[in-house]
Amino acid sequence: MKKINRLDKRFLEQFLSTPLVRDKLLKIQEEIGIETLSRACAWCKKTVAEDEPVYMLPLSSKIDLSNLHGLYIPLTLFSGEILIALVPTKDSDAWKNGKHLMLMACCEECLEQMETALKNDIQTFAYMDEASKR
Ligand SMILES: [Zn+2]
């Protein structure tokens, strides 16, 4: 696992903890709509129907995301690919169990591809936990 540069971590934390960042993300979320965001596969971006099963891939973040509870945030991979992840609310079981980011996949194939991509990438600030079907 790669170690995060201490200066980068501090910078990112300061940036992510500002009210401006929260407001901006909230605005984007309202524009796109929570319905759309919550049903979109983080990998292929397909919209999943309400009654279809989805897979959840939780990540633990080394960066403090507590300013971003309940918000969808973009994770940019080195490849340029953007994954949309949810920061669980403060009182959710996910957050209490150290799951700071939740990625949703529409199918096993997307889940596997996302896991592989993340293994070589996002570890700089987050690490993966076991995926679960919901
Ligand atoms: Zn998908």
Side-chain angles (χ1 to χ4, degrees), residues 55-100:
Y55 297 84
M56 298 308 292
L57 182 60
L59 302 177
S60 300
S61 176
K62 292 176 197 165
I63 287 174
D64 181 17
L65 299 173
S66 54
N67 182 45
L68 307 174
H69 282 303
L71 290 178
Y72 285 88
I73 69 164
L75 300 178
T76 310
L77 305 184
F78 287 124
S79 62
E81 185 98 34
I82 295 172
L83 308 179
I84 305 295
L86 173 68
V87 181
T89 54
K90 201 176 185 170
D91 50 8
S92 65
D93 288 340
W95 183 267
K96 284 177 191 161
N97 290 313
K99 318 295 185 212
H100 308 121

Side-chain angles (χ1 to χ4, degrees), residues 115-131:
E115 277 178 325
T116 307
L118 287 167
K119 255 172 214 161
N120 306 314
D121 199 316
I122 212 91
Q123 285 182 356
T124 47
F125 83 92
Y127 52 93
M128 271 191 288
D129 292 306
E130 282 294 294

Side-chain angles (χ1 to χ4, degrees), residues 41-45 57 77 79 81 83 103 105-121 128:
C41 174
W43 187 251
C44 75
K45 316 293 188 266
L57 182 60
L77 305 184
S79 62
E81 185 98 34
L83 308 179
L103 288 158
C106 68
C107 60
E108 251 171 283
E109 205 184 322
C110 280
L111 179 69
E112 278 167 27
Q113 286 179 21
M114 194 153 63
E115 277 178 325
T116 307
L118 287 167
K119 255 172 214 161
N120 306 314
D121 199 316
M128 271 191 288

